[in-house]
Amino acid sequence: MSTRVSIVIPVYNGANYLREAIDSALAQTHPDVEVLVVNDGSTDGGATDAIARSYGDRIRYLDKENGGVSSALNLGIANATGDYISWLSHDDVFLPEKISRSLEALERTDPRTIIYTDIEMIDEAGRTLLVRKVADLEARGAGRICVRH
């Protein structure tokens, strides 16, 4: 039996990168992922809404009044059916094996562990600007990471 992972994508006025984020979530090599996109009251003339709805039933789409990223993330978590939750910002992308490799790491540790991975900061064209390996982050005592911003 496969472990289901819910990938929650909170978004506000995210038409510029949302399609890339959703495509990366749907392209996971792990066989059982659900993708939830939570529109946090975007005010971009329906652009974000149109992108999300274009995926039909390949994703679960939730729309709410603007309340900030934490409220959108919380709504996604409340509606998730997965055994695990993975947060993907609308302006970030996952490599295809991100979920599989995270689950492999969980198998080697306590399942209540928060898994974080190497990061690659990219620009609007997808060119690599910076790479940080987990070992580098651990050496610095980092508990938080950010990508494309």
Side-chain angles (χ1 to χ4, degrees), residues 26-79:
L26 291 172
Q28 291 302 297
T29 59
H30 183 69
D32 194 2
V33 296
E34 73 169 341
V35 179
L36 294 94
V37 176
V38 183
N39 187 343
D40 188 34
S42 292
T43 58
D44 57 4
T48 294
D49 183 74
I51 289 169
R53 290 188 187 279
S54 74
Y55 286 87
D57 63 3
R58 296 187 320 161
I59 67 167
R60 292 180 54 207
Y61 180 58
L62 305 167
D63 195 10
K64 62 179 277 313
E65 282 187 27
N66 182 256
V69 68
S70 60
S71 69
L73 185 59
N74 285 337
L75 180 63
I77 291 169
N79 283 275

Side-chain angles (χ1 to χ4, degrees), residues 44-129:
D44 57 4
T48 294
D49 183 74
I51 289 169
R53 290 188 187 279
S54 74
Y55 286 87
D57 63 3
R58 296 187 320 161
I59 67 167
R60 292 180 54 207
Y61 180 58
L62 305 167
D63 195 10
K64 62 179 277 313
E65 282 187 27
N66 182 256
V69 68
S70 60
S71 69
L73 185 59
N74 285 337
L75 180 63
I77 291 169
N79 283 275
T81 63
D83 302 297
Y84 293 102
I85 305 291
S86 185
W87 171 10
L88 174 59
S89 295
H90 82 269
D91 59 350
D92 295 338
V93 292
F94 281 168
L95 294 175
E97 294 184 352
K98 193 272 191 260
I99 297 300
S100 293
R101 294 180 74 189
S102 294
L103 289 172
E104 289 169 8
L106 277 172
E107 288 175 7
R108 296 188 302 268
T109 188
D110 184 327
R112 296 171 293 179
T113 300
I114 295 174
I115 300 292
Y116 61 97
T117 59
D118 296 344
I119 63 167
E120 183 175 329
M121 189 177 298
I122 58 176
D123 65 12
E124 297 82 10
R127 292 181 298 249
T128 300
L129 301 174

